[in-house]
């Protein structure tokens, strides 16, 4: 399978790239222009049949299209330590616009436990861990600096579930329309994974992926990546959201 990966050098995206290559999949990986890879040899000709590194600015649609071109599926795993959460929604629209133009329909998006309709099961301690800086702003009375990571992931999910593109959004972004694939003939085939608190550690394969909302729980980056690869390989339920964690406590 040929998989386009968006999430740059974020921990989860990087782990997914490694596991996907080990599993024998071709990876097309979008990273920032000035990013420094741990293994620079990945950009050498010897790896051209295994991985394609696409460098560029996160607001240039043509780079998204280059990344998606020829791929069977797309993996999106934004990391707040690598990308600004306030940009996730726009980047998601760019990804889906590129997918439409390149006739790619399958996408798996990794957000977080607490996003979307799982928010009703998000306990205070987990919210605080996700939003530690925002808690500080709240305590300091700097309301204008306060935004929620969970809210950003929820907004990103809304773009995914509505199959929104720049064309359907009618964004004034200077992006020309492209009629190579009529909108009515393109439908996003999405699956969303919502992991619990992310931790370091090896892949164990002992996690729970459930339609129900896992209350609390944690999971390693390695196991989330393992779950994502299996979800794409086995065509995990399209149009569904899954909570993923080691915890067996399911609401």
């Amino acid at each position: 399978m040929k998989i386009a990966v968006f999430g740059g050098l974020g921990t989860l995206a990087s782990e997914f790239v490694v596991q996907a290559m080990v599993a024998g999949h071709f990876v097309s990986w979008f990273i920032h222009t000035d990013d420094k890879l741990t293994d620079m040899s990945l950009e050498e000709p010897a790896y051209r049949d295994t991985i394609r590194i696409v460098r560029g600015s996160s607001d240039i649609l043509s780079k998204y299209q280059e990344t998606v071109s020829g791929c069977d599926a797309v993996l999106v795993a934004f990391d707040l330590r690598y990308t600004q959460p306030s940009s996730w929604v726009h980047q998601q629209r760019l990804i889906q616009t590129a997918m439409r133009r390149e006739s790619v329909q399958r996408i798996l998006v990794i957000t977080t436990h607490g996003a979307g309709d799982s928010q009703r099961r998000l306990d205070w301690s987990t919210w605080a861990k996700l939003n530690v800086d925002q808690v500080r702003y709240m305590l300091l009375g700097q309301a204008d600096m306060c935004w929620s990571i969970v809210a950003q992931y929820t907004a990103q999910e809304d773009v995914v579930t509505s199959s929104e593109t720049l064309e359907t959004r009618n964004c004034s972004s200077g992006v020309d329309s492209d009629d190579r694939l009529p909108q009515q003939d393109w439908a996003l085939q999405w699956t969303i994974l919502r992991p619990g608190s992310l931790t370091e550690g090896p892949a164990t394969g002992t996690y729970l992926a459930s339609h129900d909302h896992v209350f609390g729980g944690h999971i390693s980056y390695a196991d989330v990546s393992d779950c994502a690869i299996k979800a794409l390989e086995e065509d995990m339920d399209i149009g569904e959201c899954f909570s993923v964690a080691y915890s067996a406590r399911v609401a």
Side-chain angles (χ1 to χ4, degrees), residues 110-132:
I110 301 174
T111 58
T112 186
H113 169 60
D117 57 1
S118 69
Q119 189 167 7
R120 60 190 174 86
R121 295 292 180 181
L122 187 65
D123 59 288
W124 166 254
S125 62
T126 303
W127 186 93
K129 184 175 181 180
L130 285 168
N131 297 279
V132 61

Side-chain angles (χ1 to χ4, degrees), residues 9-52:
L9 299 186
T11 305
L12 191 50
S14 298
E15 177 66 29
F16 178 88
V17 167
V18 172
Q19 288 196 29
M21 291 174 64
V22 170
H25 300 297
F26 176 85
V27 173
S28 181
W29 191 10
F30 178 78
I31 62 177
H32 294 161
T33 304
D34 56 356
D35 280 344
K36 295 182 179 179
L37 294 169
T38 303
D39 184 357
M40 296 300 292
S41 67
L42 290 174
E43 295 188 90
E44 295 178 359
Y47 285 94
R48 68 178 57 177
D49 294 329
T50 305
I51 187 169
R52 174 174 65 201

Side-chain angles (χ1 to χ4, degrees), residues 38-216:
T38 303
D39 184 357
M40 296 300 292
S41 67
L42 290 174
E43 295 188 90
E44 295 178 359
Y47 285 94
R48 68 178 57 177
D49 294 329
T50 305
I51 187 169
R52 174 174 65 201
I53 305 291
V54 180
R55 290 180 176 273
S57 170
S58 61
D59 59 355
I60 299 179
L61 178 58
S62 62
K63 289 298 181 180
Y64 286 75
Q65 287 186 242
E66 183 181 347
T67 305
V68 168
S69 179
C71 289
D72 305 300
V74 172
L75 182 285
V76 182
F78 292 144
D79 186 327
L80 95 113
R81 290 174 293 182
Y82 181 80
T83 55
Q84 286 292 329
S86 58
S87 73
W88 291 348
V89 166
H90 183 59
Q91 287 188 59
Q92 189 64 47
R93 290 193 190 108
L94 283 168
I95 291 167
Q96 291 171 195
T97 301
M99 290 177 67
R100 176 179 177 269
R101 294 188 176 190
E102 296 298 327
S103 304
V104 179
Q105 295 176 287
R106 186 71 173 111
I107 187 171
L108 189 143
V109 180
I110 301 174
T111 58
T112 186
H113 169 60
D117 57 1
S118 69
Q119 189 167 7
R120 60 190 174 86
R121 295 292 180 181
L122 187 65
D123 59 288
W124 166 254
S125 62
T126 303
W127 186 93
K129 184 175 181 180
L130 285 168
N131 297 279
V132 61
D133 289 336
Q134 309 318 308
V135 172
R136 178 166 55 86
Y137 291 137
M138 289 171 64
L139 294 176
L140 293 174
Q142 296 175 305
D144 59 321
M145 294 291 291
C146 187
W147 42 262
S148 169
I149 298 298
V150 174
Q152 299 297 322
Y153 276 125
T154 296
Q156 180 191 359
E157 287 190 5
D158 289 342
V159 172
V160 175
T161 57
S162 63
S163 299
E164 197 172 283
T165 65
L166 291 178
E167 287 93 345
T168 60
R169 179 70 178 179
N170 293 321
C171 290
S172 56
S173 58
V175 177
D176 296 328
S177 62
D178 190 310
D179 298 323
R180 281 181 288 174
L181 183 65
Q183 184 68 32
Q184 62 267 26
D185 294 336
W186 180 84
L188 200 64
Q189 298 177 354
W190 58 266
T191 301
I192 293 174
L193 296 185
R194 294 167 173 163
S197 297
L198 291 166
T199 62
E200 301 295 337
T204 66
T206 60
Y207 51 82
L208 171 71
S210 171
H211 286 291
D212 297 314
H213 303 312
V214 178
F215 185 82

